[in-house]
Amino acid sequence: MPVSTTLRSSDQQQQRQRQRPALPAFNTERFALVPLDPEKLHELARVLLCDEHLAARLPWMKDKGGDAAAKEAFLLKLQCASGTLDAWGIVERARAMFVGALLARWSLEGIDVEVLCASQFWDHGVADEASEPVLAWLEHRIDAEAMSA
């Protein structure tokens, strides 16, 4: 019986991947949110997770060894490649540089959205501004999927 459940879950995941629309890019007043492929997410996450201040605030990074940033960045890459995670890079347009990433993890319970922002950009409203268009798009996507089910 557990094998059957696992297979169904795997089949649903594969079907979701096939139906997965391309992630859109978004623009806000100060930021461009660009979809990240697994490799680019891996590269950006390795840099962000080396930020000790940021890592200290992430519950899934606490009490991990020195190579935790590399391991967690690789895990994010795998999740992105498997279709359980959507990722956008947050680019500050004025400097044309990445300042963070927005992650949306899909699960049976729903979607968990997380913003990883380099600590030097904290208290500048990055998370609020960057997440607004993505959250609206995710909500629309969930409604559309529910209607088609």
Side-chain angles (χ1 to χ4, degrees):
M1 197 66 133
V3 172
S4 174
T5 303
T6 302
L7 289 175
R8 267 192 232 121
S9 177
S10 176
D11 290 344
Q12 289 171 346
Q13 187 69 0
Q14 289 174 0
Q15 182 179 10
R16 187 181 167 293
Q17 280 184 308
R18 284 190 296 270
Q19 295 174 350
R20 227 176 133 179
L23 297 178
F26 301 98
N27 287 297
T28 69
E29 187 176 322
R30 298 177 296 155
F31 304 106
L33 285 93
V34 295
L36 298 176
D37 63 36
E39 289 299 327
K40 188 64 179 174
L41 173 60
H42 184 234
E43 181 183 323
L44 179 57
R46 282 186 67 129
V47 173
L48 289 171
L49 297 176
C50 285
D51 181 335
E52 292 177 9
H53 300 291
L54 173 61
R57 289 193 176 189
L58 299 171
W60 43 272
M61 285 289 292
K62 290 192 192 273
D63 302 324
K64 295 197 175 175
D67 60 347
K71 288 179 180 178
E72 291 297 327
F74 183 71
L75 179 60
L76 291 173
K77 172 185 171 179
L78 293 177
Q79 291 171 341
C80 185
S82 73
T84 60
L85 179 129
D86 291 332
W88 289 265
I90 303 169
V91 178
E92 185 183 42
R93 283 187 281 151
R95 298 180 201 188
M97 66 182 271
F98 282 98
V99 298
L102 190 142
L103 310 174
R105 283 188 184 86
W106 295 82
S107 71
L108 294 175
E109 292 83 33
I111 305 172
D112 178 38
V113 177
E114 215 170 355
V115 177
L116 306 179
C117 181
S119 61
Q120 65 264 35
F121 297 97
W122 290 356
D123 301 322
H124 292 92
V126 175
D128 291 336
E129 185 176 334
S131 63
E132 189 175 318
V134 175
L135 291 174
W137 179 79
L138 288 169
E139 185 176 328
H140 176 73
R141 183 171 165 194
I142 290 170
D143 290 345
E145 286 180 7
M147 290 178 69
S148 68

